Amino acid sequence: MEAKLGIAPIAWWNDDLEELSDDVSLEECLRQAAEAGFTGMETGRRFPMDMAELGPVLARHGISVCGGWFSGLLLDGDLEAEKDRVAAQLEFFVAAGAPCLVYGETARSIQGVLSAPLAGKPKLSEAEIAAYGRKISDFADWCAGQGMPLSYHHHMAAAIETEAELDLLMQHSSVPLLFDAGHLAFAGGDLFAVIDKHHARINHVHVKDVRMPVIDALDRSRESFLDAVVKGAFTVPGDGSLDFEAIVKALAAKGYEGWFVVEAEQDPKANPPLEMAKKGHAELLRVMAAAGYTVAGTVAA
């Protein structure tokens, strides 16, 4: 089985909390990612959405686009309006040969609100999730028809956060799933149960690690998702609390092949991105070998 290793630029510059950013250019970010051994990077706010401009920059560093976030509003929005909103990004992702478009539901979400406590996340009834599931399925089908698969990102402080909410969305939709180990662990979910239940839907994986002592110490009635990020809730594989060897072996046992993307938003001054990227890549090489994966295009860091 083949695995590809990517990373997100959020380790260098945070899109939700811009003060948590290193003062580096896109070129330097890509250079460091390549030096660490990664062959893919998801998009972020310093990426031009034009392959005529971006393509030569990516080629210089041997990096490809391995996905990227779209801030969806389908929960409260109109399907046709959402198609218009995503059209330019979709066209760019098709041109870039990206494996998927990462759909994050931001309607009613408090993930980007520094003053909003975690306990205030939006909550939906099963009937609301069923109606939402029909809309997101239609949107995913349309995106696939345009040549770009969608991957649904369950997320802390959003409408679909917990294992139970994810189970309901999977039950009431046909949308492909982005499995994010860190967000699911933060939400108190059983990672191995989710892999077992929904492996057939997983088409993209974020290997986000967590520091459980930080998470366990949060006051969710007062502190926000961004407070958790600032305090260091997330990190790279091998630096946190999750057993990525067991996680990756579970995915391998279910036949998952494709991208494993490090997405570890934290303070780049306290956690230098290049150093953390090298640490995460080394741990991923170790666990991929243990799980029986061949890693595509790897250059040892």
Side-chain angles (χ1 to χ4, degrees), residues 195-215:
I195 292 170
D196 190 54
K197 287 181 285 191
H198 305 307
H199 60 90
R201 306 279 282 276
I202 297 172
N203 69 341
H204 204 55
V205 172
H206 278 178
V207 280
K208 184 197 295 286
D209 209 340
V210 293
R211 297 183 178 102
M212 287 309 299
V214 174
I215 289 172

Side-chain angles (χ1 to χ4, degrees), residues 281-293:
H281 188 268
E283 175 67 359
L284 287 179
L285 284 185
R286 184 188 75 78
V287 304
M288 293 298 154
Y293 282 106

Side-chain angles (χ1 to χ4, degrees), residues 75-244:
L75 179 60
D76 294 324
D78 173 74
L79 181 61
E80 294 306 314
E82 208 68 356
K83 291 178 183 178
D84 290 341
R85 289 184 67 242
V86 79
Q89 187 173 349
L90 209 63
E91 182 180 353
F92 161 65
F93 270 39
V94 170
C100 63
L101 178 80
V102 175
Y103 183 97
E105 185 59 59
T106 57
R108 306 189 211 175
S109 173
I110 56 170
Q111 68 202 62
V113 183
L114 188 57
S115 61
L118 283 159
K121 74 168 288 296
K123 293 181 173 60
L124 305 179
S125 67
E126 181 170 358
E128 288 174 313
I129 290 177
Y132 174 55
R134 289 190 291 273
K135 280 207 289 187
I136 195 72
S137 297
D138 288 345
F139 185 66
D141 289 346
W142 178 82
C143 287
Q146 303 303 303
M148 185 51 50
L150 184 148
S151 192
Y152 189 93
H153 194 331
H154 56 97
H155 200 287
M156 285 300 300
I160 305 298
E161 172 192 282
T162 67
E163 181 181 349
E165 290 165 342
L166 180 56
D167 286 347
L168 285 172
L169 181 66
M170 292 294 97
Q171 177 185 334
H172 292 292
S173 77
S174 58
V175 68
L177 175 64
L178 186 155
F179 176 78
D180 189 304
H183 277 280
L184 190 60
F186 194 154
D190 183 330
L191 279 65
F192 301 99
V194 168
I195 292 170
D196 190 54
K197 287 181 285 191
H198 305 307
H199 60 90
R201 306 279 282 276
I202 297 172
N203 69 341
H204 204 55
V205 172
H206 278 178
V207 280
K208 184 197 295 286
D209 209 340
V210 293
R211 297 183 178 102
M212 287 309 299
V214 174
I215 289 172
D216 290 342
L218 292 168
D219 180 348
R220 299 192 186 207
S221 69
R222 292 191 308 105
E223 294 181 284
S224 67
F225 174 70
L226 293 179
D227 285 327
V229 171
V230 171
K231 287 188 170 188
F234 297 125
T235 188
V236 300
D239 190 57
S241 305
L242 300 182
D243 182 352
F244 274 98

